Amino acid sequence: IVEAATALFLSVRYDALTLEDVARRADVSLPTVLRNFGSKDALLLACSQGRTAREIETRAVEPGDVRGIARVLCARYEVLSVAWRSIIVLEDRSPAVAEAVRTARAGHQAWLVEAFAPWLPAREGPRRKRRLAALFGATEFYVWWTWRTHLGLDPRDAELTMAETLSALLDTFAAEKEK
């Protein structure tokens, strides 16, 4: 059921998806879905919790490989764009959606810590927090989506733009270190 629901959440707008759709895709009855999850929101939470670990695996990249980081993220965003655009707009209206989005953002931030470890201060503190915030902003789904949708960049140019933005940030971080 979770596998079927995850596939549907990734391809169908959240508000258009029904538990009947999930039951049909999972080849089970609607009462089975309801008995196991109770609601679409509970099913979304189950899917998001299981998805975080798999998403991190899908994003495997050598720490510090800026081009690889941009390539992996942009490829993921191409796959996830339908789901993210439909879910993020519901974040303020649904506690379950808000929790799923928080989980995804926390997973993204943890991934950033690994991917950009060479540029992050080892200890927690304001400098590390600012750098993570800058890296998060440069790799944020909405930024990528704006490049693709509103600014008309094709997938390759969006990837290059992300890599250039990240490189500029890392150059700034390196210059700060020298001071």
Side-chain angles (χ1 to χ4, degrees):
I1 295 171
V2 169
E3 190 175 304
T6 298
L8 288 168
F9 283 133
L10 292 175
S11 61
V12 178
R13 282 188 3 262
Y14 182 79
D15 51 354
L17 181 66
T18 67
L19 290 178
E20 289 87 1
D21 297 330
V22 174
R24 232 182 338 273
R25 175 88 178 239
D27 200 24
V28 299
S29 67
L30 177 59
T32 299
V33 174
L34 288 169
R35 190 172 43 258
N36 283 280
F37 298 97
S39 69
K40 183 166 70 169
D41 285 351
L43 182 55
L44 174 67
L45 287 175
C47 291
S48 74
Q49 290 162 354
R51 188 84 200 130
T52 298
R54 279 185 277 163
E55 184 62 26
I56 296 300
E57 289 173 14
T58 304
R59 293 178 175 202
V61 66
E62 186 70 31
D65 176 7
V66 175
R67 292 299 299 267
I69 290 166
R71 185 173 38 260
V72 164
L73 280 180
C74 290
R76 293 307 300 146
Y77 291 164
E78 290 289 340
V79 170
L80 300 172
S81 65
V82 170
W84 267 109
R85 285 191 350 234
S86 74
I87 288 174
I88 289 174
V89 298
L90 301 173
E91 182 178 12
D92 292 335
R93 292 184 282 166
S94 164
V97 170
E99 180 60 30
V101 171
R102 270 192 301 278
T103 299
R105 285 187 181 128
H108 181 66
Q109 189 162 9
W111 179 81
L112 290 171
V113 167
E114 290 182 24
F116 292 99
W119 290 276
L120 293 172
R123 290 188 314 217
E124 295 295 328
R127 185 181 209 184
R128 180 181 172 95
K129 189 174 183 175
R130 282 193 317 274
R131 285 186 179 186
L132 273 172
L135 292 167
F136 195 99
T139 59
E140 166 63 41
F141 170 80
Y142 268 136
V143 172
W144 169 86
W145 184 69
T146 297
W147 292 336
R148 292 281 287 117
T149 309
H150 301 296
L151 301 179
L153 296 184
D154 65 24
R156 179 169 156 58
D157 285 337
E159 179 185 316
L160 286 171
T161 301
M162 183 181 287
E164 291 168 350
T165 302
L166 289 168
S167 292
L169 272 175
L170 298 178
D171 288 347
T172 301
F173 296 167
E176 284 178 8
K177 205 174 202 179
E178 293 171 8
K179 289 182 182 180

